[in-house]
Amino acid sequence: MIIVWLILAGIGGIAAILGSLMTIASLLLWAIEGDWKGRLKVFGFSIGCAIVGFLTLRLIPFPLQ
């Protein structure tokens, strides 16, 4: 059970970190001229990834409690 929790916590942590960094990077892209649809897709994906990662970390309890 602890192995499954470690795997899920690792996936949630990676998703939260990468989603947060992608959100910052996509906000920096607004300073560059380019395609608005592509920017919104990247921004939406990064926000979604960060939310899923943080929810995963929040909703999966430690197995020894």
Side-chain angles (χ1 to χ4, degrees):
M1 186 64 178
I2 191 93
I3 301 298
V4 173
W5 181 82
L6 285 172
I7 292 169
L8 289 176
I11 291 170
I14 290 169
I17 291 169
L18 287 179
S20 299
L21 290 174
M22 284 173 57
T23 302
I24 293 169
S26 66
L27 290 174
L28 290 174
L29 283 176
W30 291 99
I32 302 171
E33 291 184 25
D35 182 29
W36 285 87
K37 287 183 181 180
R39 289 180 190 169
L40 289 176
K41 286 180 185 177
V42 171
F43 184 70
F45 177 76
S46 63
I47 291 289
C49 187
I51 289 172
V52 167
F54 284 120
L55 285 177
T56 302
L57 291 175
R58 179 69 184 135
L59 296 177
I60 298 176
F62 190 70
L64 299 178
Q65 291 182 350

